[in-house]
Amino acid sequence: MAQAEPAPEPTEPSFDVLRWHDEPWTAQLALDLLPETNGPKVEVLSGSVIVTPHAGYDHQDAELDLAYLLKQAARRAKLWLYIETNVISGDDLFIPDIVVLKVPGGGRTTMDISHAVLLGEIVSPRNRRKDIIDRPREYARVGVPYFLRVDLRNRVPTIALYELFEGDYRPVSAAAAGTTFVMREPFEFTIDPADLLGEEAPPEEPAGGEG
């Protein structure tokens, strides 16, 4: 009886490994076996690899503008802000939209979640449960002091800040477009959430021309 061929050993990191690796994944395995990418987010949670495509243009717009403004405020408080960077929590690998650290990350590929002061997520329409329930629950479980959530539903941006209290996040500040979001901790920051979105795209032209 012919023996099954062993799984191929990749010579360099490749997404092909997802087809044959059937053991539980860890953050370190993902970092060792999967390629770096500026495309989909590749995270690890409870032994499984989670691949998430890039979100829409509103998400990118809000993330860039918010990170730019937050970074300046964070530096005044001697904190360091990054976007979509590798955060390790035990065997799990998270890539939050916003990462605020109490130490600089220069020269590093990953950072342990114990260095995180604030983690933030911009809610994606197809991942609402993850961004609103699952991800903050994981961050609270390991003791991240603050969680920031930005919701762009119906193109009416809202921002909410949560503080860890007795193992769960409790809201401390929130605002919707047209009002002022005020944050005092972990550093001072204010913004009208409406400033996070740019102009709406024009309607698409129908395919084809007139007959």
Side-chain angles (χ1 to χ4, degrees):
M1 183 175 180
Q3 292 184 344
E5 293 185 6
E9 292 292 335
T11 56
E12 61 182 29
S14 168
F15 282 114
D16 288 343
V17 71
L18 293 173
R19 295 186 300 176
W20 57 261
H21 183 86
D22 56 5
E23 298 295 324
W25 282 86
T26 67
Q28 192 58 55
L29 271 176
L31 293 166
D32 290 343
L33 299 180
L34 299 177
E36 291 185 2
T37 173
N38 289 323
K41 282 186 179 181
V42 180
E43 301 175 292
V44 176
L45 180 62
S46 301
S48 298
V49 171
I50 301 168
V51 180
T52 308
H54 270 308
Y57 282 85
D58 280 348
H59 185 288
Q60 303 300 325
D61 210 8
E63 181 177 85
L64 289 171
D65 285 350
L66 181 61
Y68 173 76
L69 297 170
L70 276 173
K71 186 169 187 174
Q72 298 176 71
R75 288 302 296 123
R76 289 193 289 270
K78 297 183 179 180
L79 298 171
W80 288 263
L81 183 141
Y82 303 90
I83 60 173
E84 299 189 13
T85 50
N86 297 319
V87 175
I88 304 291
S89 176
D91 286 335
D92 294 336
L93 169 64
F94 299 123
I95 305 181
D97 292 320
I98 302 291
V99 177
V100 178
L101 303 172
K102 53 189 174 186
V103 296
R108 299 284 298 274
T109 301
T110 66
M111 189 65 70
D112 190 86
I113 201 165
S114 62
H115 297 299
V117 176
L118 176 151
L119 297 177
E121 300 289 353
I122 299 172
V123 179
S124 297
R126 289 177 293 181
N127 294 304
R128 292 191 64 84
R129 177 183 171 85
K130 184 198 81 169
D131 295 330
I132 293 175
I133 299 174
D134 298 339
R135 198 48 51 89
R137 183 164 52 199
E138 291 297 325
Y139 299 158
R141 182 178 63 83
V142 295
V144 177
Y146 292 93
F147 174 70
L148 185 72
R149 185 173 71 224
V150 179
D151 199 332
L152 308 175
R153 197 170 195 174
N154 299 322
R155 302 199 85 243
V156 181
T158 61
I159 304 178
L161 176 70
Y162 298 83
E163 182 179 18
L164 191 64
F165 180 73
E166 296 183 349
D168 290 310
Y169 285 124
R170 63 177 183 182
V172 292
S173 180
T179 62
T180 301
F181 171 77
V182 179
M183 185 167 79
R184 301 298 183 195
E185 297 290 343
F187 51 88
E188 293 190 356
F189 175 74
T190 61
I191 190 174
D192 180 343
D195 295 340
L196 296 179
L197 287 187
E199 296 180 10
E200 192 167 3
E204 292 186 352
E205 296 291 334
E210 295 183 1

